[in-house]
Amino acid sequence: MHAAFDVVVAGGRCAGSPLATLLAREGLSVALVDRAAFPSDTLSTHIFQNEGAKVLERLGVLDKVLASGAPWIEGNDARIDGLRTVASIPRRSDDPGTWLCVRRPVLDALLLEAAAEAGVEVHTSTRVTGVVERDGRVSGVRVSGEGGERLLEATLVVGADGRGSAVARSTGARSYNLIPGQRFAIWAYHEGATWSPPATLFFHRWDDELVIACPADSGLFLVVVVPPLERLARFRAGPEAFFEAHVAACEPVAAIVDGGRRVGKLQAMLRWTGYFRESAGPGWALVGDAGHFKDPTPGQGISDALRQAERLASAIVAGMGTTASLDDAMATWWRWRDDDAAEMAWFAGDLGRAGPVPPVLVEILTELAAKGEMGSFLEVMNHRAKPSEVLTPGRLASATGRLLKSGEHPRRQVLRQTKDIMAEEVHRQRLNKHPAYAESGAYEGADTDHEVVVNPT
Ligand SMILES: Cc1cc2nc3c(=O)[nH]c(=O)nc-3n(C[C@H](O)[C@H](O)[C@H](O)COP(=O)(O)OP(=O)(O)OC[C@H]3O[C@@H](n4cnc5c(N)ncnc54)[C@H](O)[C@@H]3O)c2cc1C
């Protein structure tokens, strides 16, 4: 296995840069290519959790990230219809902290800097146009940048190049288990917002409304509104008024930003589809959004990308030796990624669903809150408990029983919703084992496009 580089990584944000850093620190020769010039923004809000912060600590960049002024988010103020709970975010003794909200130009530039410091050959403002193959294996990438077109040869090519991955496209990686989004997201920053410690994340979901907000770096306060897709036309007709009206409807968030000043333009992502992609083959692998994207409502993508980078780096180091051992290691990595991400992907789709939250789910959360056990739900966000360990069949049955007894909702509706939840769970478990590929026609009629608008105003 002789090539100019051991590994070429396409994409240099939260998946690509940490991966390149870790590989270079293990003594591998690594090139990283990103079409962006850093510091660079990307279409994403940026709340991440304990496990992601831990990776930043291990990478040695956490102190620089904290120097941005981002406070640890220690509280969670959740409203789910009639339920309102304020809970502390669980923190283990070896956690450097809890959740953070750091704008991407800040976070991604620090990650890329760490890669360069580790000895990675970094090419920014350079686009990967496709992979090249030799003897049935991917053997490098074609890139196009300031110096024109060139070839970067490598034993392994990793696509960390996001949702529109050029590596995925040119290797023909197929998509499976698609989850079309049912909402869109608009966000903005406020200066001079008045909040009192502890820094708290607001997750308010009532009727068909969803507002998420928390303090970010540099004294800014992030507010995200996540309306159902049916309101897109109204948004387009008057983005500013639409955003402000949605913020005003969430009383505690409106009170925090009242008296402050909105800075910068609105940002928006008007459509998304969750997916998994085939993520390994001869001489190539995918990591981060290139291989899997989920509804952004629970804010998992950054921590996932960081955790995946660590896992993939270990797999690559262990697999380097022969092409067979490398291919085996990559196939094992792909299986791990699917196991690791499957439950959260479905759960994220549920959180981002349009329409009212089924009362039986509200009842489960109400019971958890009454027992002071919301921490177990927040551990799902921390990727330390699976949704199925918290939303158990036992809890579903008890919540259904309590709702039937209370007579608050029509009996048939409660029973139907419980039955639907159980049937969906069975269907999902089947899909986890036997994926439905995009090419199979399974999604005919579903809108699985990405439509993206940045700064609509
Ligand atoms: C609206 C929205 C809100 C979100 N909010 C959150 C949140 O609050 N918390 C959270 O954890 N996650 C959130 N996410 C998800 C998060 O943004 C992603 O999961 C995360 O960015 C994945 O990181 P990545 O490094 O895999 O990909 P990306 O961040 O997409 O980085 C890919 C990189 O590849 C580069 N690239 C692409 N194509 C090429 C090419 N051909 N050649 C060279 N370079 C290329 C790009 O320039 C980019 O720098 C959100 C996503 C969206 C869409």
Side-chain angles (χ1 to χ4, degrees), residues 239-253:
E240 286 290 336
F242 184 95
F243 180 75
E244 295 302 339
H246 280 72
V247 176
C250 185
E251 186 274 322
V253 171

Side-chain angles (χ1 to χ4, degrees), residues 255-424:
I256 286 174
V257 298
D258 188 35
R261 187 173 77 86
R262 234 193 64 205
V263 289
K265 291 180 172 179
L266 287 181
Q267 300 202 57
M269 171 119 174
L270 300 189
R271 200 177 286 275
W272 55 72
T273 292
Y275 58 79
F276 285 80
R277 281 190 189 128
E278 293 173 327
S279 288
W284 64 273
L286 302 177
V287 65
D289 279 8
H292 160 58
F293 178 73
K294 65 184 83 54
D295 190 295
T297 305
Q300 294 289 304
I302 295 170
S303 279
D304 280 1
L306 291 163
R307 291 186 308 104
Q308 287 178 17
E310 277 195 333
R311 184 78 180 207
L312 181 57
S314 305
I316 294 170
V317 170
M320 277 286 171
T322 66
T323 52
S325 63
L326 187 58
D327 291 354
D328 270 0
M330 293 306 93
T332 306
W333 137 257
W334 172 17
R335 276 197 299 279
W336 172 83
R337 195 283 316 278
D338 276 9
D339 285 349
D340 180 70
E343 275 208 31
M344 179 52 85
W346 297 118
F347 179 66
D350 290 344
L351 276 187
R353 258 189 201 179
V357 182
V360 70
L361 293 180
V362 181
E363 180 59 30
I364 292 177
L365 294 176
T366 304
E367 179 76 355
L368 283 177
K371 290 184 172 163
E373 292 173 8
M374 274 308 274
S376 64
F377 184 71
L378 296 172
E379 285 290 49
V380 171
M381 299 300 171
N382 280 340
H383 208 85
R384 291 168 170 178
K386 291 195 165 171
S388 62
E389 288 163 4
V390 177
L391 306 172
T392 59
R395 284 191 172 127
L396 183 63
S398 313
T400 305
R402 284 194 301 277
L403 280 187
L404 290 174
K405 207 164 154 198
S406 78
E408 238 178 86
H409 301 275
R411 195 181 162 77
R412 284 169 67 116
Q413 183 197 343
V414 172
L415 289 171
R416 199 185 56 243
Q417 282 177 348
T418 300
K419 197 169 143 233
D420 287 351
I421 290 169
M422 287 162 63
E424 190 148 48

